[in-house]
Amino acid sequence: MEETEKRSYRGDFPVRDEDVKASFKYNVADMVGGEGLLRCLKCGACSGGCPVGAVIDYRPRKVLGNVLLGLKDEVLSTDQIWLCAACFTCEERCVQQVNFTDVVTVLRNMASKEGHAAQGYVKMAEMVRQNGRVSARTGLVDKMREQLGLPPLHDPDITQLQGIMKAAGLNEVLAANQKKEVESD
Amino acid sequence: MKEYVLFRGCVTPVRLPAYEAATIAVLEKLGINISPLNNTNCCGAQYIESLNENAFLALGGRILALAENEGKDILAICGACAGSLKHVKMLLDRRKRARADVNSLLDRDGLQYTRKVEVKHLLDVFEQDLTLSSLESAITNPYTNIRLAAHYGCHVSRPFDDMNSTSGKVPTIIDSIIRVAGGWPVKYEGKFRCCGAPLLAMDDKLASKVGIEKIRSIKEAGAEGIVTACAYCNIQLSQVQLGGRLGKSRMPVITLPQFLGPSLGILDEELGMHMNRISPSRILESLTGVRY
């Protein structure tokens, strides 16, 4: 194992009353996927099996602890919710069916609404919004497919798709996160 | 004869078309009919899912509805696609309101999702539609003396439940197929651990670290190759070996149908063997019988 890296999410600071939003955990638990949060015993089975935790100092239990404590800003504006690989190992191990991966999805949706989505994710989502897919086809790809006897790839009906994504509310979320990029420049 | 529409996804047809070709060739050989599902979009796994769950459900719902129009169940061969389509289906099937919301978005393009279509990953097809004994009798060129590591892929197999054909146990189907084809499946530490690919959008160094740990552990177990069932895993486990951090000896990474194909007498060209980033010749040399 390589030397562990320090990440800002560890929150090595005194917790102040004004940073605690007592209702935060209930807001998360009210969302589809967040229901398991309040069952968490903080036993740490999730951290023990985490593949990200095996190479850097990342602990799902710590993230859950921060949410349960009500550290809303700390949770929603830092890397901690974006470093999960969504491998479901912790969900498999959890004795309380907290479903950490689903809780993380709820938290990411909340963070994104506030303009705190990880930039790598925004870039990929923007690509889907523009092209309907994450990998662009090229002339080389067409040639490889022909060689393999596969049918050529056609792009999906992009106007139809963009209409669906817009109506679902994706554009607002992307706009909220683009603004952030401009501000930080 | 069982029929499926193949949902190719984003990554497989562009970055790993050999996996797509090998899947079709192997399944057709085993009596399963595959036709393409056209006009499809990205399933939205991970990226759209993390930013806006509504859009994610709509994108998944659109794919499910397109397959219903074809009247066939969906076969997905990428872990992210199979996992997310199963997840979307479960959410839409259980929640009437979410289903109505998605259908109102799809309605203006004349699409509807009615809960009829089923989503299967390639491994589900091996578990549910085929038997190991029928597979065994189709093998004409068994492998011999080759030690291989099965890598299942998180979104292919988790949760370990009936939705993923594992009935609450750890998956064993790739190991069984390796054995039936004449190879020796090896046990290794961290067998069900992530390949690191989902971390690529966040921190590619971190993603590589997770992948390299996996390769190290597979090497320690004495394997001579890795068999995968997900496009993302396959690409990730290959590319982490090209960065020079693991020394010169590279372990071939091969998709399950590419592994199985030659033992069923399918030509290497049809399986796109020459397109693999790490040559699988070490594995292919262990085939027995007259080839071609």
Side-chain angles (χ1 to χ4, degrees), chain B residues 207-221:
Chain B
S208 291
K209 271 188 196 168
V210 174
I212 285 169
E213 282 296 309
K214 182 111 204 180
I215 301 284
R216 278 208 183 111
S217 154
I218 290 172
K219 277 191 174 165
E220 265 166 34

Side-chain angles (χ1 to χ4, degrees), chain B:
Chain B
M1 185 158 77
K2 184 78 192 167
E3 289 180 301
Y4 287 101
V5 280
L6 176 65
F7 172 62
R8 292 179 284 230
C10 301
V11 171
T12 310
V14 171
R15 295 185 59 193
L16 209 61
Y19 182 26
E20 181 185 339
T23 299
I24 297 168
V26 164
L27 291 183
E28 298 265 339
K29 185 102 185 178
L30 297 170
I32 289 171
N33 191 271
I34 307 292
S35 51
L37 183 61
N38 292 320
N39 191 19
T40 53
N41 45 276
C42 166
C43 67
Q46 196 184 353
Y47 309 119
I48 303 289
E49 182 180 12
S50 295
L51 264 69
N52 185 331
E53 182 115 24
N54 290 338
F56 171 62
L57 292 176
L59 289 180
R62 183 174 182 273
I63 296 161
L64 297 172
L66 284 169
E68 285 195 348
N69 274 355
E70 300 290 321
K72 292 175 192 167
D73 288 340
I74 295 177
L75 169 66
I77 55 178
C78 167
C81 302
S84 75
L85 288 178
K86 284 177 182 178
H87 186 68
V88 167
K89 179 176 166 60
M90 185 190 71
L91 288 177
L92 295 182
D93 288 2
R94 283 187 192 166
R95 291 159 54 216
K96 209 172 163 184
R97 213 175 119 201
R99 197 163 68 244
D101 287 348
V102 164
N103 275 331
S104 76
L105 292 173
L106 300 177
D107 193 37
R108 47 191 182 168
D109 301 309
L111 290 167
Q112 278 292 302
Y113 170 62
T114 65
R115 296 194 282 181
K116 265 194 297 221
V117 68
E118 294 292 329
V119 181
K120 301 278 171 69
H121 179 268
L122 181 62
L123 296 188
D124 298 319
V125 173
F126 279 106
E127 287 274 12
Q128 295 170 20
D129 302 331
L130 299 164
T131 62
L132 288 174
S133 56
S134 69
L135 192 58
E136 196 167 9
S137 58
I139 286 173
T140 54
N141 299 67
Y143 290 91
T144 184
N145 289 326
I146 183 88
R147 296 163 63 83
L148 295 165
H151 171 79
Y152 284 86
C154 299
H155 293 220
V156 175
S157 54
R158 287 199 184 91
F160 298 155
D161 62 7
D162 290 338
M163 187 169 81
N164 296 315
S165 313
T166 58
S167 26
K169 301 191 188 81
V170 293
T172 52
I173 185 74
I174 300 181
D175 293 80
S176 305
I177 293 173
I178 292 174
R179 198 174 291 117
V180 162
W184 293 332
V186 301
K187 281 185 188 158
Y188 64 96
E189 209 188 304
K191 186 169 180 180
F192 301 103
R193 207 171 250 188
C194 175
C195 66
L199 295 161
L200 283 167
M202 203 47 210
D203 183 340
D204 53 356
K205 285 206 184 88
L206 177 58
S208 291
K209 271 188 196 168
V210 174
I212 285 169
E213 282 296 309
K214 182 111 204 180
I215 301 284
R216 278 208 183 111
S217 154
I218 290 172
K219 277 191 174 165
E220 265 166 34
E224 294 155 274
I226 305 170
V227 181
T228 65
C230 163
Y232 262 111
C233 299
N234 198 91
I235 293 168
Q236 167 75 354
L237 293 176
S238 306
Q239 75 190 8
V240 296
Q241 297 188 63
L242 304 176
R245 295 190 51 195
L246 283 159
K248 275 192 184 147
S249 99
R250 285 167 187 166
M251 165 124 31
V253 187
I254 189 170
T255 61
L256 180 64
Q258 274 191 321
F259 163 73
L260 201 50
S263 71
L264 298 169
I266 301 171
L267 301 177
D268 288 356
E269 297 93 276
E270 274 183 67
L271 302 163
M273 290 297 185
H274 58 291
M275 291 180 187
N276 286 25
R277 291 182 75 183
I278 301 171
S279 164
S281 56
R282 211 152 117 202
I283 300 173
L284 301 177
E285 280 158 13
S286 72
L287 284 158
T288 58
V290 181
R291 298 190 68 206
Y292 323 132

